Amino acid sequence: MNYNNLEEKDNDILEIINRETKRQQEELELIASENYMSLAVLETLASPLANKYSEGYSGKRYYGGNHIIDEIENLAISRAKELFSAEHVNVQSLSGSPANLAVYSAFLEPGDKVLALRLDHGGHLTHGHSVNFSGKLYDFVHYGLNDEGYVDMEEVERLAKEHKPKMIVTGFSAYSRDFNWQAFRKIADEIGAILFADISHIAGLVAAKVIENPIPICDVVSTTTHKTLRGPRGAIIMCKEEFAKAIDKAVFPGTQGGPHNNMTAAKAVAFKEALSEDFKEYSKQVVKNAQVLSKEFLALGYDVVSGGTDNHMFILDLTPKNMAGKEAEKALEYVGISVSRSTIPNDPRPPFNPSGLRLGTPAITTRGMKEDDMKQLADLMNEAIINFDNEDKLNSIKEEVKRIAQNFPLKY
Ligand code: DSN
């Protein structure tokens, strides 16, 4: 990319940007929540749209001069509606956590009961963890995974009937299997609960119709826009028309001020990209790559939670290798492969150094990697993990990672 003006004004920051860009070029990204946005999305983020304050919604702003910004927001909304078959979309959410805060505040009063997936079984901090606003404000009860590593629907039903939560949360940040949205709908209807899906991880796969669309089934759905959806960092909230006013009020003025219009426009660009045939092919490849990679690790003697994956990620259980997540993450970081350590269900190890790694394929698939590349990648990662204390070996793996990354260049 061209940074002529920055070069003139601030070489300190430019030098750091260049080093980070080089790192992204030369290393491989297997963090399940990361991706590489297109140059078109990136250019839009850097546009003067960022200068404008636009509190309010199209046609009803609290600042003058917003008639063109209204066009941006309307276009983003109409594209998101088409992409997800949504009745109503709010495109102003700044990120996943503020989006979830807005959803809760639209439907709940402090102290209300909510049922969600526990964090250490694949849920998210904003799904009621005690250190997060969600766990402090609302009374969360948690369901988990069964011994096979799948969401335990019997437990969901039992807890729903026992606690009668006002809301049931579906969705996750570390779970590799399809959710049975209809089964959740049935349980929610039986107790009169609001059904909320956080599809931040799988939104791109939903948009590409690789995964069943929960939006027509749930009352409200939030998603970030930068993971499998491959857009700018940010989020949107989708809901049934009957909840539109409550959601919009909860976003602004309830929990946010002015929207970031450059980000709204970049979301619109990403939605257009996601409506293309290319994006459907990309999304299918993301899942194929994750499935092949998980099989390769099983063949190398690792365990995989639930034995495989239906989406873009899986949780590698390092127990058979007698390794801990933090050490494996560190060895992989050394050789230029970014991953995030993860708990496995009922992990005997502490959360800061758990037994697993969460691996995802959205970013390496954007670079153009295919099934054949997964075997080589699994072999290299295994070598790095088992040689975590052998610096010479790690250095030679690092060179190999750099060589592979250079074969799949980024366009930045
Ligand atoms: N940080 C995101 C993830 O890695 O899943 C969720 O907040």
Side-chain angles (χ1 to χ4, degrees):
M1 287 189 68
N2 191 329
Y3 296 101
N4 292 345
N5 293 288
L6 193 57
E7 192 170 5
E8 213 173 280
K9 302 277 183 193
D10 191 338
N11 248 311
D12 300 336
I13 288 293
L14 180 58
E15 190 269 330
I16 298 172
I17 291 175
N18 285 338
R19 267 193 293 125
E20 170 59 13
T21 309
K22 188 165 180 285
R23 186 196 69 78
Q24 291 187 18
Q25 296 278 10
E26 292 182 350
E27 297 188 358
L28 295 175
E29 185 57 69
L30 276 107
I31 291 178
S33 49
E34 294 190 21
N35 212 331
Y36 306 105
M37 65 183 90
S38 71
L39 281 173
V41 171
L42 206 49
E43 282 170 7
T44 311
L45 281 175
S47 68
L49 296 173
N51 295 331
K52 192 73 195 100
Y53 251 123
S54 319
E55 264 119 322
Y57 292 100
S58 281
K60 283 181 281 177
R61 305 282 183 184
Y62 288 80
Y63 290 77
N66 269 304
H67 51 289
I68 298 171
I69 295 299
D70 281 358
E71 287 180 44
I72 294 277
E73 195 165 313
N74 291 342
L75 196 52
I77 291 170
S78 65
R79 287 180 183 171
K81 281 184 173 177
E82 183 184 348
L83 192 58
F84 291 105
S85 307
E87 289 180 22
H88 177 77
V89 183
N90 186 305
V91 292
Q92 294 191 4
S93 278
L94 300 177
S95 208
S97 294
N100 289 352
L101 171 62
V103 169
Y104 295 139
S105 62
F107 291 100
L108 306 172
E109 296 299 327
D112 275 348
K113 211 151 236 167
V114 188
L115 180 60
L117 179 61
R118 45 193 280 196
L119 179 72
D120 58 346
H121 282 210
H124 188 252
L125 275 173
T126 59
H127 299 177
H129 196 276
S130 58
V131 298
N132 183 260
F133 75 86
S134 53
K136 293 185 203 288
L137 277 179
Y138 308 107
D139 185 9
F140 271 81
V141 180
H142 287 104
Y143 56 89
L145 307 186
N146 59 24
D147 291 342
E148 285 76 49
Y150 285 71
V151 167
D152 187 341
M153 290 311 294
E154 279 172 22
E155 187 184 31
V156 174
E157 186 167 10
R158 183 177 56 73
L159 291 173
K161 288 187 174 154
E162 184 182 333
H163 295 279
K164 305 251 173 343
K166 198 162 169 190
M167 174 183 275
I168 299 179
V169 185
T170 64
F172 54 84
S173 63
Y175 182 64
S176 62
R177 294 302 183 180
D178 286 339
F179 259 63
N180 187 342
W181 313 113
Q182 289 291 2
F184 273 99
R185 176 77 267 170
K186 190 165 168 282
I187 294 168
D189 285 346
E190 275 169 20
I191 58 159
I194 293 290
L195 185 59
F196 165 36
D198 176 348
I199 62 163
S200 292
H201 263 270
I202 50 169
L205 307 181
V206 169
K209 301 189 171 42
V210 174
I211 279 185
E212 187 189 11
N213 185 359
I215 289 132
I217 301 169
C218 298
D219 298 302
V220 59
V221 175
S222 70
T223 181
T224 49
T225 45
H226 49 275
K227 298 186 173 99
T228 48
L229 196 49
R230 210 165 57 178
R233 299 196 80 86
I236 59 173
I237 303 173
M238 298 168 270
C239 65
K240 304 252 183 258
E241 194 55 50
E242 64 184 290
F243 303 122
K245 268 205 181 114
I247 286 294
D248 285 351
K249 271 172 70 182
V251 173
F252 173 83
T255 54
Q256 288 186 188
H260 296 182
N261 297 307
N262 55 328
M263 191 205 274
T264 304
K267 287 174 191 173
V269 174
F271 299 153
K272 186 171 179 184
E273 290 176 355
L275 282 161
S276 70
E277 274 310 308
D278 280 356
F279 190 79
K280 289 196 177 74
E281 288 310 310
Y282 158 72
S283 301
K284 283 185 204 155
Q285 190 65 49
V286 166
V287 177
K288 276 190 218 160
N289 283 352
Q291 288 174 338
V292 173
L293 192 61
S294 66
K295 280 192 188 123
E296 293 295 341
F297 273 108
L298 284 170
L300 287 164
Y302 291 79
D303 279 343
V304 169
V305 173
S306 88
T309 179
D310 300 323
N311 58 33
H312 62 298
M313 69 154 108
F314 57 92
I315 311 298
L316 190 68
D317 181 350
L318 302 161
T319 316
K321 300 284 172 187
N322 209 16
M323 272 291 283
K326 195 158 148 259
E327 280 75 41
E329 181 191 291
K330 228 171 115 201
L332 290 166
E333 184 179 67
Y334 187 90
V335 301
I337 298 177
S338 298
V339 302
S340 43
R341 58 187 179 273
S342 172
T343 50
I344 57 167
N346 309 316
D347 204 323
R349 305 185 58 90
F352 192 69
N353 192 9
S355 303
L357 294 177
R358 186 187 65 170
L359 305 181
T361 52
I364 51 172
T365 308
T366 294
R367 289 184 91 133
M369 288 191 164
K370 297 248 163 59
E371 291 96 314
D372 286 350
D373 306 304
M374 297 303 110
K375 176 161 176 42
Q376 188 184 16
L377 191 55
D379 286 342
L380 270 181
M381 291 173 76
N382 175 50
E383 284 294 305
I385 291 171
I386 60 181
N387 290 295
F388 70 100
D389 53 357
N390 179 341
E391 209 176 317
D392 287 345
K393 184 79 186 157
L394 291 181
N395 283 334
S396 80
I397 298 171
K398 192 182 168 91
E399 284 309 307
E400 182 63 7
V401 168
K402 203 162 145 184
R403 199 190 56 73
I404 295 172
Q406 277 160 354
N407 286 341
F408 298 95
L410 295 173
K411 297 196 181 86
Y412 302 142

